[in-house]
Amino acid sequence: DAGVTQSPTHLIKTRGQQVTLRCSPKSGHDTVSWYQQALGQGPQFIFQYYEEEERQRGNFPDRFSGHQFPNYSSELNVNALLLGDSALYLCASSNLGLAATYEQYFGPGTRLTVT
Amino acid sequence: AQSVTQLDSHVSVSEGTPVLLRCNYSSSYSPSLFWYVQHPNKGLQLLLKYTSAATLVKGINGFEAEFKKSETSFHLTKPSAHMSDAAEYFCVVSERNTDKLIFGTGTRLQVFP
């Protein structure tokens, strides 16, 4: 059973560019959450997708957007990249039907470097 | 708003000695609390979770944590450290009625031979 997978592993972009990160949830999971982890910090919640819609959002600007596909996979898009967007981006999946456990499974992350 | 405070940014222990990683939470209700571990260049792994059942929670790899409402604490312990325990540990609270996770700033555990 494959866990949560993310691609690419590493990415280098220039300020002002746009980037798309991808996530496939754990088998049987229908909900995907995205987190940003800056160096030396704990992960910060960006947003969550369920049934192809953004279900809740953290304190991130509109430059951060996402999408969920019918197969539950998800994309995170960041426009007009800033140096401060350099971070590890983590995807986590869960099953909303089991929300009472609030258990999320994390992928290995995508390391984004903005130069 | 819910939050967690990890009281130590770094903890160093010798192999075979006990581990104590401290976490205090802030919440106006009974929260769901978690400990996650992050090894270098790897994703976050759930060690254990508290969801208003037994206050002493046992997790993987010999770790356990005790929920103490009176002290608003959820400290992580292990009787005997192993070299493979060296990693970053995060105390986490979930926002009420959601599965949005709020992370602490992390504690780096070093284990010396």
Side-chain angles (χ1 to χ4, degrees):
Chain A
D1 173 27
V4 180
T5 60
Q6 293 185 243
S7 64
T9 306
H10 295 87
L11 204 52
I12 299 175
K13 289 288 189 178
T14 304
R15 277 177 298 176
Q17 286 188 318
Q18 178 264 344
V19 68
T20 298
L21 311 181
R22 296 176 177 81
C23 171
S24 291
K26 181 178 170 63
S27 177
H29 284 184
D30 57 11
T31 303
V32 173
S33 302
W34 287 92
Y35 293 81
Q36 180 195 66
Q37 185 177 18
L39 199 61
Q41 302 293 320
Q44 299 287 319
F45 175 79
I46 302 174
F47 44 51
Q48 183 182 81
Y49 277 83
Y50 171 68
E51 292 190 336
E52 302 180 48
E53 291 192 357
E54 185 179 289
R55 180 169 173 258
Q56 51 182 328
R57 188 179 183 92
N59 188 26
F60 278 80
D62 292 345
R63 298 187 297 110
F64 290 77
S65 63
H67 188 76
Q68 186 180 35
F69 298 94
N71 66 353
Y72 308 120
S73 67
S74 176
E75 289 181 349
L76 163 66
N77 300 294
V78 187
N79 293 323
L81 284 167
L82 304 173
L83 293 179
D85 295 331
S86 295
L88 180 67
Y89 287 84
L90 295 164
C91 169
S93 73
S94 56
N95 187 316
L96 200 60
L98 301 175
T101 67
Y102 305 123
E103 190 164 332
Q104 298 188 28
Y105 293 79
F106 283 82
T110 294
R111 174 74 62 187
L112 172 65
T113 301
V114 182
T115 62
Chain B
Q2 297 77 45
S3 66
V4 289
T5 301
Q6 293 186 243
L7 301 173
D8 307 289
S9 59
H10 290 85
V11 170
S12 297
V13 300
S14 298
E15 190 174 23
T17 65
V19 175
L20 170 63
L21 305 183
R22 300 182 295 165
C23 173
N24 286 350
Y25 70 90
S26 174
S27 177
S28 57
Y29 58 92
S30 183
S32 293
L33 292 161
F34 310 80
W35 276 97
Y36 279 84
V37 61
Q38 187 174 37
H39 291 274
N41 301 316
K42 293 195 174 181
L44 290 156
Q45 181 183 22
L46 179 66
L47 279 178
L48 50 80
K49 62 183 179 184
Y50 166 77
T51 54
S52 73
T55 56
L56 182 61
V57 182
K58 294 188 182 299
I60 62 172
N61 300 334
F63 284 95
E64 63 180 38
E66 186 171 7
F67 174 75
K68 290 187 176 180
K69 186 175 181 179
S70 61
E71 299 176 10
T72 62
S73 68
F74 189 59
H75 301 334
L76 182 70
T77 61
K78 183 174 181 177
S80 176
H82 191 272
M83 295 296 291
S84 62
D85 294 329
E88 188 86 19
Y89 291 79
F90 292 96
C91 181
V92 183
V93 63
S94 69
E95 200 170 74
R96 187 177 193 181
N97 295 328
T98 78
D99 51 358
K100 171 185 174 181
L101 300 182
I102 300 167
F103 285 75
T105 52
T107 297
R108 179 164 297 278
L109 175 65
Q110 286 185 306
V111 182
F112 294 102

